[in-house]
Amino acid sequence: MHLSRLMKIGAAFLVLSLMAFRVPQPERIPDHLPLYTGGDQCDMDNQVFRHGEEMVYKVFYNWNFIWMSAGEVVFKVEDLGDRYHFSAHGGTYKGYDAFFKVRDKYDVYVDKTTLLPITSIREVNEGKYSLYDKLTFDRENGKVKSLRGKTKEVAELVEYDTDSCIHDILSMVYCARNLSFDQMRPGQDFPIKIFIDKKTWPLKVNYKGKFPNKKIRGLGHFNTVALNPEVIKGYIFKESSNLTIWASDDKNRLPLMIESPISIGSVKVILKSYRGVRYPLSAKVKDKKADEEISPED
């Protein structure tokens, strides 16, 4: 088992779950449905998160019918005046460090009026593998400059052509939470697009509909929406992988649980704790029975 893969999967699941709040482009919406008018990914006014928001997720891995809690990923928001600082830091628990130590950091600084990234930094440390990748976004010229290498000291600068309003993997998380999916019908697809690892990735997400009273161990029962993001098949995901996300059906749009089979088992990522959310978590419903511990089992 490779714990580096596990932490990558956990981070990727959380990002996809929040990106899944993209709406379809206007030309794809049937005539009888009103168009979404709350903005697009090139001009976004934040109405969802605020300074001090923090979400902590626990990553579980199932291998040969045994569930293991391997690590955590923490998302934070900081208001810097004219911009936001988003961070997602993840790692294995100390008990696993002797076997395979993972400490990954994702940080992005975005324009406060558009939520478009200005600078994005990834610092990856997984066993003997390390990566430093600093992206600088040149919107006027449709370019992304990547200072990338094993470490910051040996990183080399390369320039790539991109769309003028492209997001990095973390800025899209928070931009996407500000988009509405209330007008979507179950079974409808919509696109997502990010720049990461030297290229632009166009994917799609399938909206499955609303699922009330979903049990999230350790937190209780919630009214949720479910989504199935398209995945990049190969290294991590099976050809038949069906990644499923349950997110809170309220103004906060918090991802609550994500699960999927992968090439070497299956994974569940569960919201462990949250604080500093902008609105009351109205999607939470009265529990039939108090949960005693966080568990990947439902």
Side-chain angles (χ1 to χ4, degrees):
M1 177 182 64
H2 299 286
L3 292 181
S4 62
R5 292 188 184 186
L6 178 56
M7 296 313 300
K8 288 177 182 177
I9 293 164
F13 279 14
L14 295 175
V15 169
L16 283 171
S17 66
L18 290 167
M19 288 195 297
F21 292 100
R22 281 266 304 177
V23 296
Q25 298 299 318
E27 65 270 21
R28 301 186 63 184
I29 302 177
D31 293 338
H32 63 278
L33 291 179
L35 296 180
Y36 174 78
T37 58
D40 56 39
Q41 67 169 327
C42 297
D43 184 16
M44 181 60 60
D45 179 28
N46 172 45
Q47 297 294 328
V48 173
F49 58 84
R50 66 178 179 180
H51 173 78
E53 180 190 82
E54 178 179 306
M55 299 177 289
V56 181
Y57 294 85
K58 197 167 184 177
V59 182
F60 294 89
Y61 177 69
N62 185 292
W63 189 52
N64 290 335
F65 306 102
I66 299 174
W67 281 104
M68 305 173 63
S69 57
E72 294 184 357
V73 184
V74 182
F75 286 75
K76 293 182 180 181
V77 176
E78 184 181 10
D79 188 336
L80 299 180
D82 63 342
R83 62 188 62 187
Y84 289 114
H85 171 210
F86 305 140
S87 63
H89 295 181
T92 46
Y93 292 130
K94 290 185 178 180
Y96 284 94
D97 285 353
F99 176 66
F100 198 100
K101 183 176 180 180
V102 174
R103 296 292 186 273
D104 291 349
K105 297 181 179 180
Y106 295 75
D107 292 90
V108 62
Y109 299 84
V110 305
D111 186 297
K112 200 171 184 178
T113 61
T114 65
L115 301 188
L116 290 170
I118 301 169
T119 304
S120 171
I121 303 172
R122 293 171 60 204
E123 296 182 74
V124 178
N125 291 280
E126 300 169 351
K128 295 181 180 180
Y129 174 78
S130 64
L131 172 69
Y132 177 86
D133 191 7
K134 179 179 180 181
L135 302 178
T136 303
F137 293 81
D138 182 354
R139 314 232 164 258
E140 184 176 348
N141 297 304
K143 304 285 186 180
V144 171
K145 297 178 181 179
S146 173
L147 183 63
R148 182 184 176 98
K150 185 176 178 63
T151 66
K152 181 178 180 180
E153 290 71 27
V154 299
E156 297 181 355
L157 187 64
V158 180
E159 187 174 87
Y160 301 92
D161 293 325
T162 64
D163 296 342
S164 61
C165 61
I166 194 74
H167 279 268
D168 89 307
I169 197 168
L170 192 52
S171 67
M172 178 57 86
V173 167
Y174 292 93
C175 172
R177 287 175 62 190
N178 280 277
L179 298 176
S180 173
F181 54 90
D182 290 339
Q183 298 171 355
M184 295 190 64
R185 299 174 302 173
Q188 189 171 358
D189 292 333
F190 51 95
I192 58 176
K193 185 184 292 185
I194 59 172
F195 184 90
I196 186 173
D197 289 334
K198 307 178 185 180
K199 67 180 295 184
T200 297
W201 295 91
L203 301 171
K204 64 182 179 181
V205 177
N206 183 263
Y207 173 66
K208 307 303 291 185
K210 295 177 180 288
F211 292 81
N213 204 33
K214 178 70 177 177
K215 186 178 182 180
I216 308 298
R217 286 301 182 100
L219 292 178
H221 290 78
F222 291 81
N223 293 324
T224 65
V225 294
L227 308 108
N228 291 142
E230 181 183 13
V231 298
I232 301 171
K233 300 176 179 64
Y235 176 63
I236 291 177
F237 295 101
K238 301 176 181 178
E239 287 294 321
S240 59
S241 290
N242 186 21
L243 188 154
T244 302
I245 297 161
W246 285 272
S248 65
D249 189 13
D250 59 18
K251 292 182 180 180
N252 294 294
R253 300 170 189 161
L254 296 182
L256 301 170
M257 182 170 68
I258 308 97
E259 62 181 347
S260 177
I262 57 174
S263 59
I264 52 173
S266 59
V267 164
K268 285 193 179 184
V269 180
I270 300 177
L271 180 63
K272 175 184 177 182
S273 64
Y274 59 90
R275 65 179 181 179
V277 295
R278 186 166 180 172
Y279 306 101
L281 202 59
S282 60
K284 193 177 192 311
V285 298
K286 185 177 180 179
D287 293 337
K288 295 179 181 179
K289 181 179 180 180
D291 297 314
E292 298 180 355
E293 63 180 356
I294 296 176
S295 169
E297 299 179 358
D298 190 6

